[in-house]
Amino acid sequence: MQTGEMETAHGILQYEIREDSIILTGYRGRDITLAVPERIEEKPVTVVGKKTFLGAKELQQVNLPGSVTEIQDWAFACCSALRALILPRKTLVVGQGILKDCFRLQQILTVSGEGILSVAPDDITGPEAEISRLLAAVMGSLDAFYLFEPLAAGSQSWLEQWDARMQSLMAQADEEGFSKMLLCGEEDYGSKENNLDYYIEQRRRFKVRLAMLRLMNDIGLAPDTKEELLSYLRAHTKGESSEETWKVVLEEYGDERAYYQFLLDNGCIHDGNFSAVLEDMGEHHTEMKAFLMNARSAQPKMEDAFAALAFDL
């Protein structure tokens, strides 16, 4: 078996040489962005081998060339900083757990031809960006391996299957799985995870994240499904009996304006809870507090809007 190594900007890529192709076998280094070449030693790179990038904690973006046809088990598992993966837009043979515990993964982009992305993933907008975020969620939030189809991603059928999986998760009872977790001893006895109230809150937070993801990437989203998701978020915002919608935004997206604008636009921050929202923010997130106050002052209050409507009548 012939093996070799290739230098990257800040690391080493290891590979095996087959008769007519290259299989990647390992990586060590501190690259943040890595573009795998289409050819090494004049042979096409066709396989990302088992555990090739396992635990590469610096990697934030990996670009795979159009020559790749297979990604084997756990190829990118535990890449804790990975945010974007660029793949060729074609049918791939994919092993298990290829993106396991890649908790920061936000985009899986698919590119035709050689798989070269001419702009940064963050600069991509429109339907392509929305599909990339929904495809990333397939391997994360949805846990739906069967939807990891780069060639089909974004098609009407694929979006319908995505939404069907999402709706099944949203419909699950909040306490579902708690008893099984206790019986199986999946958590340490006496830990907060063994508390039913805590468990339910985490389940609701998961649903909030999932609903916001779909609503903020609403390509092909049916109107009735959209309203169901919005109703769920409004039912769990500040001032309701449970406040997971507001908690997720404040605690997990504390300085990301898009999420506060989303809450404003969709009735999750309103006149009835505005003061409580600002109080929760305390001395932190001053820029977002200023944004909310400016946004509110620029819009008529709800009662003023109703008064104007009554006057017109």
Side-chain angles (χ1 to χ4, degrees):
M1 178 192 304
Q2 277 188 290
T3 62
E5 292 187 345
M6 171 190 152
E7 288 189 5
T8 64
H10 301 286
I12 297 291
L13 197 56
Q14 300 168 317
Y15 56 87
E16 291 180 5
I17 305 171
R18 299 289 175 91
E19 286 186 8
D20 56 358
S21 65
I22 297 291
I23 298 178
L24 303 183
T25 57
Y27 167 81
R28 62 181 186 275
R30 301 179 64 86
D31 291 285
I32 293 175
T33 299
L34 179 63
V36 174
E38 187 162 25
R39 302 183 75 85
I40 297 176
E41 299 194 23
E42 300 184 355
K43 297 179 186 294
V45 176
T46 59
V47 179
V48 181
K50 191 173 182 178
K51 301 182 181 179
T52 294
F53 294 98
L54 176 69
K57 299 188 183 301
E58 304 289 331
L59 281 177
Q60 295 183 23
Q61 177 183 323
V62 178
N63 190 332
L64 297 181
S67 56
V68 168
T69 59
E70 181 178 359
I71 304 174
Q72 295 182 348
D73 299 346
W74 307 296
F76 296 96
C78 302
C79 290
S80 55
L82 188 64
R83 297 179 65 249
L85 179 63
I86 296 92
L87 302 174
R89 186 176 291 125
K90 63 182 183 181
T91 300
L92 298 171
V93 176
V94 179
Q96 63 179 323
I98 65 166
L99 291 161
K100 181 177 174 60
D101 294 340
C102 294
F103 298 116
R104 295 188 182 180
L105 185 67
Q106 297 178 15
Q107 293 179 282
I108 297 179
L109 289 146
T110 61
V111 183
S112 298
E114 296 182 355
I116 303 300
L117 195 66
S118 58
V119 297
D122 288 343
D123 293 333
I124 294 175
T125 58
E128 186 178 1
E130 293 187 21
I131 293 167
S132 76
R133 290 188 280 268
L134 296 179
L135 185 56
V138 161
M139 306 299 277
S141 303
L142 288 192
D143 190 24
F145 181 80
Y146 62 93
L147 286 175
F148 190 73
E149 301 180 64
L151 191 60
S155 67
Q156 181 177 349
S157 173
W158 185 85
L159 289 169
E160 289 173 354
Q161 290 181 74
W162 201 104
D163 287 339
R165 172 60 175 166
M166 172 193 66
Q167 289 174 307
S168 71
L169 292 171
M170 295 292 294
Q172 290 178 357
D174 291 333
E175 65 275 9
E176 185 171 324
F178 180 72
S179 298
K180 180 180 178 182
M181 181 191 73
L182 292 181
L183 290 171
C184 295
E186 295 179 13
E187 301 294 342
D188 294 335
Y189 181 77
S191 68
K192 63 181 179 181
E193 285 80 5
N194 282 328
N195 179 280
L196 179 58
D197 290 338
Y198 176 83
Y199 182 87
I200 288 175
E201 180 180 345
Q202 297 310 304
R203 293 274 293 183
R204 288 175 179 165
R205 287 192 182 214
F206 167 79
K207 293 179 181 180
V208 164
R209 295 186 204 103
L210 187 57
M212 287 198 299
L213 171 70
R214 189 63 178 104
L215 289 165
M216 295 175 80
N217 301 279
D218 61 356
I219 180 172
L221 183 62
D224 56 341
T225 304
K226 179 176 181 178
E227 189 53 44
E228 288 173 6
L229 297 176
L230 285 173
S231 295
Y232 185 88
L233 295 180
R234 292 169 185 147
H236 297 282
T237 195
K238 186 65 184 176
E240 301 298 328
S241 57
S242 64
E243 301 179 344
E244 284 79 9
T245 299
W246 169 238
K247 289 178 181 178
V248 164
V249 172
L250 179 64
E251 296 174 15
E252 301 177 23
Y253 305 105
D255 292 305
E256 297 186 42
R257 179 176 298 188
Y259 289 91
Y260 292 89
Q261 186 67 61
F262 175 85
L263 295 186
L264 283 169
D265 291 343
N266 292 289
C268 296
I269 294 179
H270 48 74
D271 287 345
N273 65 12
F274 192 81
S275 296
V277 162
L278 294 186
E279 184 176 351
D280 273 1
M281 297 175 82
E283 300 301 318
H284 306 289
H285 314 300
T286 54
E287 184 178 346
M288 290 302 98
K289 287 179 74 172
F291 166 72
L292 289 176
M293 294 176 73
N294 289 335
R296 184 176 185 244
S297 65
Q299 297 177 346
K301 292 186 177 181
M302 189 69 70
E303 55 265 30
D304 293 338
F306 282 126
L309 181 62
F311 180 79
D312 290 341
L313 293 174

